[in-house]
Amino acid sequence: MVKKIIKIGTLFIFITFIVSGCSFSFPWEKDRRGEFIEIEEGGNDLEIEEENKKEESQEINVERELRQFTSLKAAQDYIKTHPALASNLEQLSFTANYAATSQLAVKDLLNSSVFTSRPDWVQVVNEYIYILKEEKIQVVSITSLTSPTIVNERDLPFQAQEMKIFEDNLIVTGIKNNRTFLYVFDISNPLNMELRREIELSGNYAGMYISAKQLYFLTTNKLDYRQVDNLLPDVYVKGKRIDSHCVLNDDCLRSQVYYFNHPYNSYGFLSVMTFDLEQTSGLIKRQLYLLDDSYRLYLSKNNDIYLTKEHYLTKEYLEAMVQKELFTDSLEPGDKIKVTQADADVEKLTPIFKNYLDTLGIAEKEEAQIKIEAALKTKIKDLDYELEGVSLYKFVAVEGKLRYEAKGEVAGRFLDGNFIDEEAGYLRLITKRGELWPLLFSGDPKEYSNAYVLDKDLKIVGSLENIVTGNSLAQAHFLNNRSYLFTTEETDPIYVIDWQNKEKPAILGALQINGYTNFYPADLEGERLLAFGKTKKEATVTASTLTQEVLKLSLFDFSDLKKPSELSSYIIGDELSDSFALQDYKSLANIFVNKIIIVPASFQDQGVLSFSGVLVFSADANGILNLLYRIDHSANGRIANDSVVNNFTYLNNTVRRSFIKQNYLFTISNKYLKINNLNDGSEIASVILLPSPEDDLINSNFPTEEYDQITPPATEEFFEEEIITNPEEYEINPEPPLPSQSADFEIEPIVGANEELELNDEMLETAPESETIIDEQQALIYDEVKCKAMCTGLLELEFDAYCVSGEDTLNIYDFCNLES
């Protein structure tokens, strides 16, 4: 009778569970399906409660992978019971840092105006140029191209990073004292910008974009365990910390905190803060995602956000698990207990089984090792995606919030650099296999990689797995229907994948070109590439030959991979020459429509700066590069003050951005805005953006010598590569034949030569007395008579001259001051 009662009761509970729609939750766990529930930061008013009721009906129904904390206490309890290291999630920043791009995908740089539609240092709207530098915004009117004028300057209380313009809003972000600042200006009247909104946040800037007049502002935060009462990052408006209390139109903050249902190795927050750009105050929405260092962030050109997580098992872990399965029964009783207690703790299991194997004889030990290797291979095959994989989570912007849209999974691990791209609604990824996968194959050790195509629901529609290369892939460069894959070795060939058939991506071949940092599209198909970087060049010095690294600009034709060719190239300067484009790929303007390439460059003469500006090239229909002219921002090297942005140093005369408007070329450095005729390079106007003492000595419209016309190399094939046709291995020869080398064509840096002065006094001839070493640099020494003539203006002042004064040797400035 008792058993029947128990059965009936159990059946009743089960039926109740079914009828309730399977929405049962245990008493100690509130329903965490992802409904939008307010995180309390000090209390809610009726407005917030009503908003929450509206949103409670929304659900995140993606296998309950993403969950939401129902209260701040729930988040605190979770973190306390699942301890992990703190992380600032530096790997998530995808916009602000230009310092380490290295072959970054720049497929959208088909013209120089791309930076004006994305957050950057320069924005161009109508007849105004907005320039951001250090702690200032400058507005330059170009209504009259012959007389551009600075019409407004606005100081900022922080180090500026980026800005973006949307309608009449100028959004500026920067950093000071480890805090991120966000200012929104009304620029309906550029001559009188009004500050509409100022917000200060703890954390680091990670990016921003605008959708439906809502600003989405991303930051990352290191979780501070010392603030046990409030783990959420602070937000300040006009210096006052805001919370969830909304009164009339006052600023208030409503936060929701999410976490993923998996173990964490560290803790940090990705914060997505949104508000209406048309409002000057009011509700600010914030979604916080608890992440760790295994995540990466990708923002598509459609403003979809993808969070990608890497997970993998180590060789040590699998070996310990295999040994546990094989040898636990053979252990001593005490060791068996230790194994049971250790569970999956590799550090505890490894010494136990090592001691066991050491007790075996030689033959038994060899037999045990064979069993381990066989079992290890079997486990690798069985685990497949569990062995190593990348999980993808897609979010879309909807009414000022991110909505969790889809989840996907591919095999492999992250590349060190760029590995993901979206094109025509499809996501394309390149992943690499880890150290365990090669154990399945015999022969020489190889590296294995995978390529995948995913649809809008993140379902795999096409794949190419186990691509074999000599070294591990480092990053991918996506251009239309192609990807150019780079390995960790600069001397390795570049592998090419064709995505045209989404269901069957294929390997087209391999290309051997070395020494380039950045690649830019030169046609819509991605078959012609402009390459820029440093290449090695042999130079003869006296009787010896030295290898130097020099700047090189090349145009390649990869339309036929059986006969790829370098259409033309230029060696720029010598080993002392440099280019800002090596640190910031956007500073090289590849203006696709006009077939114009603008390369920032600086030259030195005997260790002294002689030129800093841009070299302007054209590319004709045959792909032949022609050097047209140069534009100097340094007065032949005379202006050379340092500036620091995003942790790297450059000169104030370094051209950071270039663009074309009408038939004029605009180049911008911290020092100048210059407007030149696009056809011949003649200067139309120049604006001093950064006044300095040199302005009194140097006319900004200083004359510049033109380069001699240089004949580019003839078109040539540089190697043939057999197309891979074996569908079973997809193996590429990691060492294809090297290309034939064309002659180097050098652009010598132009040094401003002193004009010869015809003076009656023969003693005023400008030949130096001697050449000697001053401060480890070659310098010219003049006698007192010639130096006095320089000081009084009878001879042209040479800024790098040294003068003999008694027994001392002084630089020209000290000598002239001494004379005065």
Side-chain angles (χ1 to χ4, degrees):
M1 184 64 181
V2 174
K3 291 183 179 180
K4 288 183 179 180
I5 292 174
I6 293 175
K7 288 181 180 180
I8 293 172
T10 304
L11 181 60
F12 176 76
I13 293 174
F14 179 73
I15 293 172
T16 302
F17 175 69
I18 296 297
V19 171
S20 64
C22 300
S23 59
F24 175 79
S25 61
F26 293 103
W28 58 86
E29 180 189 19
K30 292 185 179 180
D31 188 1
R32 297 184 297 180
R33 289 172 298 171
E35 72 279 14
F36 296 100
I37 299 176
E38 171 68 18
I39 295 294
E40 298 181 4
E41 294 182 311
N44 298 326
D45 62 8
L46 292 177
E47 178 184 349
I48 295 296
E49 290 179 0
E50 288 299 319
E51 186 70 20
N52 284 334
K53 289 179 180 179
K54 294 178 183 177
E55 295 180 341
E56 282 182 1
S57 61
Q58 302 184 49
E59 295 184 0
I60 296 173
N61 187 19
V62 190
E63 300 177 1
R64 298 186 65 188
E65 187 79 15
L66 180 66
R67 300 181 175 184
Q68 181 187 352
F69 291 112
T70 56
S71 67
L72 178 57
K73 184 178 184 305
Q76 293 170 333
D77 292 344
Y78 179 90
I79 292 170
K80 289 177 182 178
T81 55
H82 301 82
L85 299 174
S87 171
N88 55 14
L89 303 181
E90 287 182 352
Q91 75 282 1
L92 295 189
S93 297
F94 62 91
T95 301
N97 184 14
Y98 302 119
T101 57
S102 182
Q103 296 166 345
L104 186 66
V106 288
K107 66 173 186 175
D108 53 352
L109 293 185
L110 294 178
N111 61 70
S112 67
S113 64
V114 66
F115 66 84
T116 66
S117 62
R118 292 192 175 189
D120 205 347
W121 294 333
V122 176
Q123 301 275 278
V124 182
V125 178
N126 299 325
E127 304 304 319
Y128 294 94
I129 304 174
Y130 297 80
I131 303 170
L132 196 64
K133 60 184 183 184
E134 298 183 355
E135 298 179 354
K136 181 178 292 187
I137 304 171
Q138 289 180 308
V139 184
V140 180
S141 171
I142 53 174
T143 304
S144 171
L145 293 176
T146 57
S147 57
T149 308
I150 298 176
V151 295
N152 198 354
E153 287 188 334
R154 186 68 176 256
D155 292 329
L156 300 169
F158 51 81
Q159 178 73 42
Q161 288 180 294
E162 287 188 335
M163 65 176 168
K164 180 173 176 59
I165 290 178
F166 175 76
E167 296 181 350
D168 288 334
N169 298 283
L170 172 64
I171 303 109
V172 183
T173 184
I175 190 168
K176 183 177 181 180
N177 298 330
N178 296 321
R179 287 186 175 271
T180 295
F181 289 77
L182 172 63
Y183 275 23
V184 180
F185 292 94
D186 179 356
I187 57 171
S188 55
N189 179 6
L191 281 63
N192 183 27
M193 298 189 303
E194 294 184 2
L195 181 60
R196 301 185 63 190
R197 207 155 191 175
E198 58 177 280
I199 300 174
E200 181 182 348
L201 312 92
S202 56
N204 299 317
Y205 170 64
M208 64 170 141
Y209 68 95
I210 297 170
S211 177
K213 297 187 179 182
Q214 296 283 328
L215 174 66
Y216 293 75
F217 192 78
L218 282 66
T219 56
T220 58
N221 297 85
K222 186 175 182 178
L223 198 153
D224 191 349
Y225 288 95
R226 294 170 298 180
Q227 297 181 358
V228 293
D229 296 331
N230 183 17
L231 295 174
L232 304 189
D234 292 329
V235 176
Y236 298 85
V237 173
K238 298 179 181 179
K240 178 183 177 182
R241 181 181 179 274
I242 61 172
D243 55 29
S244 61
H245 292 284
C246 290
V247 180
L248 295 178
N249 293 322
D250 285 354
D251 291 291
C252 62
L253 179 70
R254 178 157 48 83
S255 299
Q256 296 157 338
V257 185
Y258 302 89
Y259 70 102
F260 287 91
N261 187 28
H262 61 68
Y264 282 76
N265 58 49
S266 59
Y267 285 132
F269 280 127
L270 170 65
S271 170
V272 183
M273 185 180 70
T274 61
F275 58 83
D276 192 330
L277 283 171
E278 293 185 341
Q279 297 180 356
T280 58
S281 63
L283 176 63
I284 298 175
K285 299 178 182 180
R286 181 175 65 173
Q287 291 172 289
L288 291 159
Y289 297 87
L290 189 64
L291 306 177
D292 61 21
D293 289 326
S294 64
Y295 281 89
R296 297 293 184 271
L297 181 66
Y298 171 68
L299 174 63
S300 76
K301 62 184 179 183
N302 296 324
N303 289 333
D304 293 335
I305 284 184
Y306 294 87
L307 282 173
T308 60
K309 175 180 171 56
E310 179 185 68
H311 58 86
Y312 58 90
L313 301 177
T314 64
K315 184 179 179 180
E316 292 76 16
Y317 173 83
L318 283 188
E319 285 182 338
M321 295 302 102
V322 164
Q323 292 172 354
K324 182 178 180 180
E325 294 172 3
L326 292 175
F327 307 124
T328 298
D329 292 341
S330 302
L331 297 176
E332 297 293 332
D335 286 337
K336 287 184 181 179
I337 295 174
K338 292 180 181 179
V339 167
T340 302
Q341 294 173 342
D343 192 20
D345 191 330
V346 176
E347 292 184 0
K348 293 180 180 179
L349 292 174
T350 299
I352 296 174
F353 290 108
K354 182 180 182 302
N355 293 335
Y356 166 74
L357 294 174
D358 288 342
T359 64
L360 301 178
I362 296 177
E364 292 176 319
K365 196 170 186 178
E366 290 179 354
E367 182 181 355
Q369 193 60 41
I370 292 173
K371 289 182 179 180
I372 292 173
E373 292 176 0
L376 194 59
K377 289 183 178 181
T378 301
K379 188 169 285 292
I380 292 172
K381 291 179 182 178
D382 293 341
L383 288 172
D384 196 12
Y385 276 39
E386 296 178 30
L387 179 69
E388 55 187 6
V390 173
S391 300
L392 300 103
Y393 308 100
K394 179 181 179 181
F395 298 81
V396 297
V398 179
E399 296 180 355
K401 298 174 68 70
L402 291 186
R403 186 175 69 196
Y404 187 6
E405 193 81 354
K407 179 197 173 186
E409 184 87 13
V410 297
R413 298 167 65 172
F414 292 140
L415 303 187
D416 296 332
N418 189 56
F419 71 98
I420 186 171
D421 173 76
E422 187 181 59
E423 182 73 21
Y426 289 89
L427 204 63
R428 306 178 296 190
L429 297 95
I430 305 293
T431 63
K432 64 181 178 181
R433 293 286 198 178
E435 59 182 353
L436 289 168
W437 195 255
L439 298 179
L440 296 178
F441 308 95
S442 59
D444 296 333
K446 298 285 185 179
E447 298 290 338
Y448 297 85
S449 304
N450 304 325
Y452 295 99
V453 181
L454 285 72
D455 63 16
K456 63 181 180 62
D457 298 319
L458 298 186
K459 304 299 182 184
I460 296 176
V461 297
S463 65
L464 176 66
E465 296 186 318
N466 298 330
I467 305 169
V468 184
T469 55
N471 292 293
S472 178
L473 292 184
Q475 50 196 321
H477 185 90
F478 296 89
L479 290 173
N480 198 18
N481 285 322
R482 288 189 173 191
S483 288
Y484 294 85
L485 312 181
F486 302 84
T487 74
T488 54
E489 294 295 325
E490 291 185 359
T491 56
D492 279 356
I494 300 173
Y495 304 109
V496 186
I497 286 184
D498 179 27
W499 302 97
Q500 194 162 0
N501 185 342
K502 296 178 178 59
E503 296 180 358
K504 294 182 179 180
I507 296 172
L508 294 181
L511 308 166
Q512 184 70 49
I513 57 174
N514 302 323
Y516 296 96
T517 304
N518 296 329
F519 291 82
Y520 302 82
D523 63 11
L524 293 174
E525 291 72 33
E527 296 177 348
R528 282 190 178 185
L529 291 184
L530 185 73
F532 182 70
K534 284 206 167 185
T535 188
K536 292 182 179 179
K537 173 191 172 186
E538 289 188 354
T540 302
V541 180
T542 62
S544 62
T545 300
L546 300 177
T547 300
Q548 302 172 341
E549 284 196 344
V550 295
L551 297 173
K552 187 176 182 181
L553 179 72
S554 297
L555 184 59
F556 291 96
D557 183 3
F558 297 146
S559 57
D560 184 357
L561 290 184
K562 291 183 178 180
K563 296 181 180 180
S565 60
E566 183 179 41
L567 299 176
S568 58
S569 66
Y570 278 96
I571 297 292
I572 301 175
D574 56 20
E575 75 279 3
L576 296 178
S577 303
D578 201 2
S579 175
F580 192 53
L582 299 179
Q583 285 76 44
D584 179 359
Y585 71 88
K586 290 184 180 181
S587 63
L588 188 152
N590 178 29
I591 304 177
F592 180 75
V593 175
N594 300 84
K595 300 295 182 184
I596 294 293
I597 300 102
I598 306 162
V599 181
S602 62
F603 300 138
Q604 296 184 31
D605 180 38
Q606 297 184 358
V608 178
L609 182 73
S610 59
F611 170 84
S612 181
V614 295
L615 308 178
V616 182
F617 294 85
S618 67
D620 62 22
N622 296 319
I624 305 303
L625 296 170
N626 293 294
L627 177 64
L628 300 178
Y629 48 84
R630 71 170 185 169
I631 299 173
D632 193 357
H633 280 237
S634 69
N636 292 329
R638 298 176 185 179
I639 300 175
N641 295 321
D642 287 343
S643 186
V644 179
V645 168
N646 288 343
N647 298 321
F648 55 87
T649 302
Y650 63 97
L651 299 176
N652 277 324
N653 52 53
T654 299
V655 176
R656 301 162 65 193
R657 293 294 181 265
S658 304
F659 65 94
I660 289 176
K661 190 175 179 66
Q662 298 176 15
N663 200 38
Y664 299 96
L665 172 60
F666 293 73
T667 54
I668 302 173
S669 64
N670 276 359
K671 180 65 181 177
Y672 290 115
L673 163 66
K674 287 184 174 290
I675 305 175
N676 293 71
N677 185 291
L678 182 62
N679 297 324
D680 58 16
S682 59
E683 185 169 297
I684 305 300
S686 179
V687 179
I688 298 177
L689 301 176
L690 183 66
S692 61
E694 296 97 330
D695 299 334
D696 297 330
L697 302 174
I698 302 169
N699 185 343
S700 63
N701 294 313
F702 51 84
T704 60
E705 294 84 359
E706 294 184 359
Y707 283 104
D708 295 332
Q709 186 66 32
I710 300 174
T711 305
T715 302
E716 64 171 336
E717 293 181 8
F718 66 104
F719 84 98
E720 291 189 7
E721 175 61 39
E722 181 182 357
I723 301 300
I724 306 302
T725 57
N726 184 351
E728 297 179 357
E729 294 186 353
Y730 302 106
E731 181 163 356
I732 302 172
N733 178 8
E735 298 179 357
L738 294 174
S740 59
Q741 299 297 318
S742 60
D744 291 331
F745 291 83
E746 183 169 14
I747 298 175
E748 293 293 338
I750 301 300
V751 181
N754 293 328
E755 297 179 2
E756 295 183 3
L757 300 178
E758 296 182 2
L759 300 175
N760 293 330
D761 191 344
E762 295 180 357
M763 297 185 68
L764 295 183
E765 293 180 356
T766 57
E769 282 286 306
S770 63
E771 296 185 4
T772 186
I773 302 296
I774 299 293
D775 294 335
E776 300 183 353
Q777 293 184 353
Q778 196 78 16
L780 302 181
I781 309 299
Y782 293 86
D783 62 23
E784 288 190 63
V785 176
K786 299 181 183 67
C787 286
K788 287 180 180 179
M790 292 184 193
C791 295
T792 57
L794 292 176
L795 285 178
E796 183 177 359
L797 180 63
E798 296 187 14
F799 291 88
D800 55 352
Y802 284 80
C803 306
V804 176
S805 176
E807 297 181 354
D808 299 326
T809 301
L810 306 174
N811 65 52
I812 186 67
Y813 295 104
D814 292 339
F815 180 85
C816 292
N817 289 332
L818 183 66
E819 289 297 310
S820 61

